[in-house]
Amino acid sequence: MMRWDFDKITQEAIKEITACDDLKNLEALRVKFLGRKGLLTEVYSSLPTLSAEEKPLVGKNANNFRNKITSLLDERRILLENTSTDIVAETLDVSLPGIAAPVGREHILSQIIEEICSTFENLGFVVQDGPEIETEFNNFTALNIPADHPSRDSFDTFYLETPDPEQKDRNLLLRSQTSPVQIRLMKQFKPPFAVVIPGKVYRPDAVDASHSFVFHQIEGLLVDEDIKFSDLKGLLTAFCQRLFGEKTRMRFRPHYFPFTEPSAEVDISCYICDGKGCSVCGRKGWLEIMGCGMVNPKVFEAVKYPKGKYTGLAFGMGVERMAMLKYGINDIRLFFENDVRFLKQF
Amino acid sequence: MKLSLNWLNDFVRHGLLPEKLAERLTMAGHEVKSIDEIAGDRVFEIEITPNRPDCLNTLGLAREVSAIVNKPLVLQKLKTIKIPKTLCSVTIEDRSACLRYVGAVVENISIAESPIVVKERLQAMGVRSINNVVDITNYGLFENGQPLHTFDYDKLIGGKIIVRRAKAGEKIVTLDGVERQLNPSILVIADAERAVAIAGIMGGQDTEVTAKTKRILLESAYFDPVLIRRAGRALGLTSDSAYRFERGVDLTNVDVAAKRALSRLLDFAGGNIVNYRDVAVKKTVTQKQFSVDMKGIGHFLGTNISAVQVKKILGKLDFKVSGKGECLKVMAPSFRSDIKGAIDISEEISRIIGYDRLDSSLPQIKPSAIVSSERFQLKRKLRRILTAQGLDEAISYPLISRGAIEKTNVADLPISRVKNPLSLDQEYLRPSLLASLLAVVNLNFNHGQKNLRLFELGKIYPPAGEKEVLGIVLTGNRPQNWQINKKETVDFYDLKGIVVRIFETLGFDLPTCVLGKKTIDIVLEKEKIGFLGKVSKDILKNWDLKSDDVYYAEIDLEKFYKLKPQIKRFVSLTDFPSITRDVSIAVKQDVSFGQIESLAREIGSTHLIAINFIEQYLGEKIAAGQKGLVFSLLYQSSQRTLTEAEIAPIHEKILQRLSQDFGAVIR
């Protein structure tokens, strides 16, 4: 009679190994079965004492047992290694915050400017900028704003004490719109071009929750020999759908700007309520987001482009307004106060 | 502008529900802001753009509606009146300020209440009914846009009307009971002795029509828009009349409106017209005829529109259109001074049709003749680099107060002043970004936020100019986390690290820091391109900042923009081992690490590939006036494995020269 019932031993070993869910215990099992003082060693060391009949049979059974257990142990080890939470699981509070290098935030206005500019860059535009201190010619005259227009009054435009080199008896001013950069670029370059121009503009408005004497605008200008009003609609629709989502519906409302003709204000379907009417859109379902139009031929005249050769489209939008709409910010002063609790929110 | 739908119905049968009509008007360029219900009437509040003063009345808007819905416009006929030949005394002294003045004297009038319909309509317009005479003038204004005024004729001294500039020191008590100081920039209506009205803006109390009035003088005039606007602004006074004069009334309507008012006057208040006078520098505006090529317009709009449709639309808007086929001759009505050429016609047509019904296309955008601004691109990169250093971006007010400049000790810098500041807080263009950023620090300190890492890419303004700078502010503790939570305050080296990191990341040559008079200069190729340092105690005190450690750096971006990155060449990765030798020395405090570094590099030559600074020690264990420096030297060759025997003489020589040249003691 054989001293070892290999079938039984194997069954029990399999049971123990498959029940083991810890690498430490698995190692203990390995030692128990295959180790120097383990079961198998005991079997092998007893082989010389066995009869010539028994010897090959026990040897064969022992080898089978070793192969079977070794592969089982390996399998189990790999499984446990992969699923194991390993290192001292009992002291790890996984709900504690992780540690990362400190990171700062771009100002929310910079983020919006970036988003808008890069959207236009993807549509084939380039980004340009220009000075904040301007001449009356660039800020008004060249943009077809009449000499006696109210916006030129000191109630509506900041003037500096510095005289305007282009015009005696006039002073330099802080631009009240980004449009003078259009004039600067057109004086310097011939079409075709497609530019967007972000920047600060100034208007003497008393500071309160919805007014600021300085704010940011983004201006766009596309001039070529054959730009059409339909292009204006198509381009701005493409822009708004990229920025606010593909389902955004557009509304072009006729409006008046001296430097464009025809002119329009652009409304988008409210992206909060999808046009059904909510508190963000004042129950109208529409949000007014920019002004636009076809460049008035008077403007081309002012920059001395050949008469009738070019047409163009222009548009402009307020960055603070965009940010306020997008994030529900209710006070324009927050943008310029730079409370870090505000800066870190975006 | 308010629009009463009941009143509108007198002029045009549009057949639309109020909400639909509001949408159509909005989409034709007259945005309906709200719809109110007033005494059985629906009243629109409409935003009229400044180029369309002709729509600041019911008739004007009715004309628009008639074009939009393609229905006829009907102007209610009034009883014709007989205009007497006898004149009243009207003199225009300032003929550039008043192009036309119609005066009419009516006798034996009975002041009474207005008919219900007049009262209701004025109520819809938000105007209080006063009496039949005054109401008729307001009714006329809201009906056809011509402001009218009535004087008690018996109170006009000498029975005269003189349109002139106010005299210096002249005063008038206006209808609102306020005494107003006048000056020669203001146009007035005067009798033989005194100003009796501020022209176009408000009448005077002395000549007001009252219950006792028996004779009145009706005024219908055209005043210069700019003059009226400036006078209104100077006096801080506006009115429905002034609002219309400022934007320009229709010169040809001045007498028409007067006659309509007189007809109503006789109807509601009785009496008879005894004098009439129409003094006109100009009676009408001559509109130019121009040609409109329908093909050209179709091409420009990207949508083809038929000439027939155009004729119909323009006809409804009172334009004169002639010509056949694709080429039309067009003349705008006198009240459309905004129409100057074919381009304006394209807008008229498209807004009446509706922009939403025009085609949409994507433009073919060709490569621009203008290249992208390098400044903008570089600022993009700076934002990325600085936020990665844990700095938050600030955008502060560029206009600041004298006080802020003085508190920042930059009052000696030349500055630009705004001529017409809104308040003393925004009087100057900042000469330094620090002044703006300290205000930001102050605000955050007041909210208990003491650990600040901020930057701004902003402009500073030397007289008549502007330049971009980068300002960086650090204060409070270094960033911590819950595993390393010993509190360490930021210092100069934190700021230097950030500054150098900018140049490093952009691939520029690295700048050096040079001790200047008040600050530490950031120098690159012998040119100062910025400065950094600790904000002085007195500035912090001026700003009431309870901290000793506020650090500030400013980089002149105008100079920065001119820098070019180094041309990078790949360096092959060597597999040969390196040898590191730590060095610990004591030297006099005036010996800089920079000196030691360059000496070591000189001797170490190509085998010395890196010098890593480890520690500076200034404690008790070192002699007074001395400092301990620890750094490591890394030797490596890309050709072969360096042996100890090769390195030893080089290393020994470095140590020897350090003690020889700088009196360094090896520790």
Side-chain angles (χ1 to χ4, degrees), chain A residues 12-286:
Chain A
E12 275 167 11
I14 290 172
K15 218 189 229 168
E16 275 188 87
I17 291 168
T18 49
C20 175
D21 58 2
D22 180 307
L23 286 167
K24 248 190 229 166
N25 295 340
L26 194 69
E27 175 61 15
L29 289 177
R30 190 189 68 79
V31 172
K32 176 177 168 191
F33 300 126
L34 312 175
R36 226 157 21 94
K37 290 176 182 166
L39 177 69
L40 208 60
T41 313
E42 188 191 325
V43 175
Y44 284 134
S45 55
S46 68
L47 279 181
T49 65
L50 298 180
S51 68
E53 285 164 1
E54 266 184 325
K55 228 186 246 172
L57 195 61
V58 172
K60 193 182 158 210
N61 279 334
N63 283 344
N64 284 346
F65 177 75
R66 189 188 60 202
N67 292 342
K68 177 98 191 159
I69 295 306
T70 304
S71 75
L72 257 181
L73 282 168
D74 280 349
E75 263 172 46
R76 191 71 195 162
R77 182 174 48 78
I78 288 163
L79 187 80
L80 286 180
E81 270 173 0
N82 286 342
T83 54
S84 158
T85 45
D86 210 353
I87 41 163
V88 280
E90 56 275 21
T91 60
L92 191 68
D93 178 353
V94 291
S95 69
L96 283 177
I99 292 169
V103 71
R105 293 280 171 187
E106 288 186 22
H107 196 282
I108 178 59
L109 295 177
S110 293
Q111 291 182 39
I112 300 263
I113 289 171
E114 178 59 35
E115 210 178 337
I116 292 169
C117 286
S118 58
T119 304
F120 277 110
E121 283 176 306
N122 287 337
L123 289 163
F125 282 64
V126 296
V127 184
Q128 263 293 343
D129 55 8
E132 293 169 14
I133 298 174
E134 268 295 359
T135 62
E136 231 186 291
F137 179 82
N138 287 344
N139 196 69
F140 293 121
T141 314
L143 291 161
N144 192 34
I145 298 169
D148 53 23
H149 195 268
S151 64
R152 296 201 191 207
D153 282 357
S154 60
F155 292 99
D156 289 315
T157 300
F158 282 120
Y159 288 86
L160 300 185
E161 286 184 326
T162 325
D164 185 337
E166 285 176 3
Q167 253 178 309
K168 268 189 208 162
D169 80 335
R170 309 300 297 180
N171 283 6
L172 289 174
L173 51 83
L174 290 173
R175 65 178 178 196
S176 56
Q177 46 193 352
T178 39
S179 311
V181 187
Q182 288 189 13
I183 302 301
R184 286 178 175 269
L185 293 173
M186 286 197 278
K187 280 202 243 175
Q188 208 187 335
F189 298 98
K190 294 270 166 283
F193 49 73
V195 284
V196 277
I197 306 145
K200 286 193 176 77
V201 300
Y202 298 82
R203 287 181 202 170
D205 277 327
V207 175
D208 62 27
S210 46
H211 294 89
S212 178
F213 62 87
V214 60
F215 55 97
H216 294 76
Q217 275 187 342
I218 295 180
E219 182 90 7
L221 178 69
L222 166 64
V223 183
D224 200 346
E225 286 184 9
D226 197 17
I227 301 297
K228 300 184 278 285
F229 184 78
S230 54
D231 293 335
L232 176 71
K233 285 184 69 180
L235 177 77
L236 295 182
T237 303
F239 163 71
C240 289
Q241 291 182 342
R242 285 180 193 205
L243 201 67
F244 297 102
E246 272 174 40
K247 285 185 187 158
T248 307
R249 279 166 291 120
M250 308 285 294
R251 194 167 83 160
F252 291 82
R253 258 185 303 114
H255 200 69
Y256 170 70
F257 305 109
F259 31 88
T260 48
E261 188 81 31
S263 305
E265 281 199 311
V266 181
D267 297 338
I268 56 164
S269 52
C270 178
Y271 51 84
I272 303 287
C273 63
D274 196 24
K276 289 182 195 82
C278 65
S279 63
V280 171
C281 56
R283 320 254 159 247
K284 289 196 180 90
W286 295 101

Side-chain angles (χ1 to χ4, degrees), chain B residues 304-323:
Chain B
N304 284 323
I305 293 157
S306 76
V308 179
Q309 197 180 4
V310 169
K311 276 185 174 172
K312 209 157 62 186
I313 290 170
L314 293 180
K316 285 276 180 300
L317 293 172
D318 273 1
F319 286 64
K320 290 200 173 67
V321 189
S322 57

Side-chain angles (χ1 to χ4, degrees), chain A residues 96-99 102-107 109-110 113-114 117-118 121 123-133 147-150 153-162 171-172 174 185 189-195 198 200 202 204-207 212-214 216 222 224 226-235 237-238 251-256 261-265 284 288 294 296-298 311 313 333 335-341 343-344, chain B residues 23 26-33 47 49-51 226 229-230 233-234 298-303 340 343-344 346-347 350-351 355-373 375-377 379-380 383-384 386-399 416-422 426 429-430 439-440 443-444 447 449 451-459 461-466 468 479 481-483:
Chain A
L96 283 177
I99 292 169
V103 71
R105 293 280 171 187
E106 288 186 22
H107 196 282
L109 295 177
S110 293
I113 289 171
E114 178 59 35
C117 286
S118 58
E121 283 176 306
L123 289 163
F125 282 64
V126 296
V127 184
Q128 263 293 343
D129 55 8
E132 293 169 14
I133 298 174
D148 53 23
H149 195 268
D153 282 357
S154 60
F155 292 99
D156 289 315
T157 300
F158 282 120
Y159 288 86
L160 300 185
E161 286 184 326
T162 325
N171 283 6
L172 289 174
L174 290 173
L185 293 173
F189 298 98
K190 294 270 166 283
F193 49 73
V195 284
K200 286 193 176 77
Y202 298 82
D205 277 327
V207 175
S212 178
F213 62 87
V214 60
H216 294 76
L222 166 64
D224 200 346
D226 197 17
I227 301 297
K228 300 184 278 285
F229 184 78
S230 54
D231 293 335
L232 176 71
K233 285 184 69 180
L235 177 77
T237 303
R251 194 167 83 160
F252 291 82
R253 258 185 303 114
H255 200 69
Y256 170 70
E261 188 81 31
S263 305
E265 281 199 311
K284 289 196 180 90
E288 180 186 320
M294 300 300 289
N296 194 314
K298 298 260 181 204
T311 52
L313 60 85
R333 289 170 291 201
F335 294 113
F336 299 96
E337 281 175 353
N338 301 292
D339 187 317
V340 289
R341 290 171 301 173
L343 299 179
K344 296 234 182 253
Chain B
E23 196 200 318
T26 297
M27 295 311 285
H30 307 295
E31 192 187 357
V32 177
K33 291 285 196 189
E47 188 188 316
T49 53
N51 60 325
V226 177
R229 172 165 51 83
R230 299 226 163 113
R233 282 251 166 138
H299 189 76
F300 174 69
L301 292 177
T303 305
K340 294 188 177 83
I343 198 90
D344 303 307
S346 75
E347 183 178 66
S350 45
R351 72 179 181 86
Y355 288 177
D356 50 344
R357 288 202 226 162
L358 299 183
D359 289 342
S360 176
S361 57
L362 269 181
Q364 295 293 316
I365 299 177
K366 295 177 196 148
S368 279
I370 301 170
V371 295
S372 181
S373 156
R375 291 163 169 260
F376 186 78
Q377 304 302 345
K379 275 183 280 184
R380 271 184 168 156
R383 282 195 189 93
R384 234 173 281 150
L386 292 163
T387 50
Q389 297 299 304
L391 277 77
D392 293 316
E393 185 185 13
I395 295 180
S396 60
Y397 289 125
L399 297 181
S416 291
R417 187 179 170 271
V418 173
K419 211 174 130 196
N420 53 328
L422 208 60
Q426 306 134 17
L429 287 162
R430 62 184 170 206
V440 173
L443 177 125
N444 279 292
H447 293 166
Q449 289 125 215
N451 304 325
L452 303 173
R453 295 165 76 82
L454 297 166
F455 74 97
E456 177 163 7
L457 293 160
K459 280 182 173 170
Y461 307 82
E466 57 195 90
E468 284 187 296
N481 63 53
W482 60 269
Q483 293 193 346

Side-chain angles (χ1 to χ4, degrees), chain B residues 144-194:
Chain B
N144 61 59
Q146 174 61 44
L148 304 164
H149 183 65
T150 46
F151 298 97
D152 186 327
Y153 189 61
D154 293 310
K155 289 176 190 159
L156 286 175
I157 299 172
K160 284 186 171 179
I161 287 289
I162 302 163
V163 186
R164 63 162 168 84
R165 297 297 186 108
K167 292 169 188 156
E170 200 168 8
K171 285 176 190 165
I172 185 172
V173 177
T174 40
L175 284 173
D176 53 3
V178 179
E179 185 183 79
R180 300 186 186 265
Q181 191 78 44
L182 305 175
N183 66 58
S185 73
I186 298 166
L187 192 71
V188 295
I189 311 302
D191 61 15
E193 289 180 5
R194 64 208 164 133

Side-chain angles (χ1 to χ4, degrees), chain B residues 89-204:
Chain B
S89 170
V90 173
T91 315
I92 301 178
E93 274 186 13
D94 188 335
R95 292 169 64 86
S96 65
C98 175
L99 294 184
R100 195 170 187 186
Y101 194 105
V102 171
V105 180
V106 185
E107 279 185 351
N108 298 322
I109 53 147
S110 331
I111 303 290
E113 279 195 27
S114 291
I116 296 280
V117 63
V118 171
K119 281 187 175 177
E120 278 175 357
R121 287 183 178 175
L122 289 182
Q123 191 193 353
M125 294 299 105
V127 171
R128 196 164 47 95
S129 166
I130 294 170
N131 58 46
N132 50 2
V133 172
V134 175
D135 287 359
I136 283 165
T137 62
N138 285 329
Y139 192 90
L141 178 146
F142 290 111
E143 181 204 59
N144 61 59
Q146 174 61 44
L148 304 164
H149 183 65
T150 46
F151 298 97
D152 186 327
Y153 189 61
D154 293 310
K155 289 176 190 159
L156 286 175
I157 299 172
K160 284 186 171 179
I161 287 289
I162 302 163
V163 186
R164 63 162 168 84
R165 297 297 186 108
K167 292 169 188 156
E170 200 168 8
K171 285 176 190 165
I172 185 172
V173 177
T174 40
L175 284 173
D176 53 3
V178 179
E179 185 183 79
R180 300 186 186 265
Q181 191 78 44
L182 305 175
N183 66 58
S185 73
I186 298 166
L187 192 71
V188 295
I189 311 302
D191 61 15
E193 289 180 5
R194 64 208 164 133
V196 292
I198 301 171
I201 303 176
M202 198 175 275

